[in-house]
Amino acid sequence: MGVYQELVDRGLIAQVTNEEEIRELVDNGKAVFYIGFDPTADSLHVGHFMALCLMKRLQMAGNKPIALIGGGTAYIGDPSGRTDMRSMMTPETIQHNCDCFKKQMSRFIDFSDGKALMVNNADWLLGLNYVDVLREVGACFSVNNMLRAECYKQRMEKGLSFLEFNYMIMQSYDFYALYQKYGCNMQFGGDDQWSNMLGGTELIRKKLGRDAYAMTINLLLNSEGKKMGKTQSGAVWLDEKKKYPYDFFQYWRNVDDADVIKCLKMLTFLPLDEIAQYERLEGSEINRAKEILAFEVTKLIHGEQEAAKCLDAARAVFAGGGVSGDMPTTILTEDAFTDEKISVIELLVAGALAPSRGEARRLIQQGGISIDDVKITDFNTYYEKDAFADGIVVRKGKKVFHRYIIK
């Protein structure tokens, strides 16, 4: 099976231009392709991980990836999927985020000996002359066509700034610059980027008289229809300092039954015939597939040793085996206690199990909090400092566990 057909079978491909040409390039290791990553935070998240998996698959087949860090486009902000304008970031914040991205990407992609490139579009975008851009690039774009793009149509009612309106032109220019500098002949991205990507292929055709290709990947959705990696508490980060490996493992262990096979196909490197065996599992047996998914994804992000520790810890907790040393832990200091006591509300906020005191009260009132297997119904419950000598375990809902100890 060719790599392109494998992408199809794994459910990754959403839209392509010139499918036969793309298939030939990809299957024969002739694709020099790029995926863009806008540094809007200091860590990659699960949405980025999908793109990194795609890059790794294609690199393993002999193709050359270019990881494009959007240090320049971050000054503008992508309107796709947004209901309002992004907050403006300082140049220092943008550079810090770019540095964090580079470190994390190197875990997945082999950048040695020119096998892959990592570039920053600030290198060419920030030096452009505005009038030159209008004359040389802007003239290639139809405003009528741009306004028909989904990313702009969604924002027209609430308001679209002229700054954001330029994002499509800047992303298109990226493809144009990468084609000239590095021979990049293909762009990949989420299916919400289709209009921007077509802009790049058209710019290359009009300015250089050459063909370039674009392919979007399906955005992985969970059962609630949200982009995978987004939860009520925010993104699922790849940085272990922002998301404990155990919590990361549990996120995948607890995916909806209907999503587990889709996730195995898109986010792991297990053979499709092996995944097909898990597809036949029913009832409680599906938990076996969830464990495999959680282990495989955690292994890719945090390493096999950490994944094994998370698996053992999860099994111990769900089997009633007591407190695991690998459970997410908050260390309380003397300052956390008032008169040698701390309230359950303060505990939930300190361990980030609730973002606010009000949310902590709501969780308790709804019966969502247990401490050492005792359900808490009174948010005026307090715990003496001595109770934390051996640690206590707070359970939020059925599947989130957190340990508290005193330093």
Side-chain angles (χ1 to χ4, degrees), residues 127-237:
L128 292 175
N129 178 282
Y130 182 64
V131 174
D132 289 343
V133 173
L134 291 178
R135 288 175 58 87
E136 299 299 322
V137 182
C140 298
F141 287 81
S142 162
V143 171
N144 291 343
N145 289 339
M146 293 174 72
L147 290 175
R148 282 194 287 267
E150 199 63 33
C151 60
Y152 291 147
K153 285 168 60 178
Q154 293 174 355
R155 288 286 303 280
M156 292 303 290
E157 290 187 9
K158 290 204 169 185
L160 177 71
S161 71
F162 182 71
L163 177 70
E164 294 171 294
F165 190 63
N166 283 271
Y167 190 91
M168 181 184 291
I169 295 176
M170 294 295 97
Q171 182 170 332
S172 300
Y173 189 86
D174 283 341
F175 200 177
Y176 174 68
L178 290 169
Y179 188 102
Q180 291 183 294
K181 291 174 179 289
Y182 306 109
C184 179
N185 54 24
M186 199 175 299
Q187 179 181 3
F188 292 83
D191 54 10
D192 60 337
Q193 296 291 307
W194 185 239
S195 298
N196 295 340
M197 294 164 68
L198 290 180
T201 61
E202 279 297 293
L203 181 60
I204 291 171
R205 184 182 63 81
K206 289 178 179 178
K207 296 294 293 181
L208 301 176
R210 306 284 180 83
D211 287 329
Y213 308 99
M215 184 175 87
T216 61
I217 58 175
N218 282 310
L219 295 177
L220 188 58
L221 302 178
N222 64 18
S223 57
E224 288 77 31
K226 302 172 185 175
K227 289 181 182 178
M228 182 61 78
K230 297 289 185 180
T231 67
Q232 290 183 347
S233 59
V236 177
W237 303 105

Side-chain angles (χ1 to χ4, degrees), residues 305-363:
Q305 183 177 2
E306 196 65 50
K309 288 167 59 179
C310 292
L311 177 60
D312 291 342
R315 286 175 173 174
V317 169
F318 284 101
V323 177
S324 166
D326 297 304
M327 187 182 299
T329 300
T330 293
I331 300 175
L332 301 172
T333 63
E334 295 285 343
D335 296 339
F337 297 87
T338 302
D339 296 331
E340 304 290 298
K341 297 184 298 183
I342 187 171
S343 72
V344 63
I345 288 177
E346 291 169 325
L347 276 180
L348 296 178
V349 174
L353 292 178
S356 66
R357 296 174 67 90
E359 177 65 15
R361 289 190 182 92
R362 186 188 68 80
L363 287 169

Side-chain angles (χ1 to χ4, degrees), residues 66-75 94-95 98-99 102 117-129 173-174 177-178 181-182:
I66 299 176
L68 178 66
I69 307 296
T73 40
Y75 280 77
I94 292 172
Q95 185 57 53
C98 288
D99 293 340
K102 288 179 180 179
L117 298 175
M118 186 179 295
V119 296
N120 189 329
N121 63 13
D123 294 344
W124 54 82
L125 292 181
L126 299 188
L128 292 175
N129 178 282
Y173 189 86
D174 283 341
L178 290 169
K181 291 174 179 289
Y182 306 109

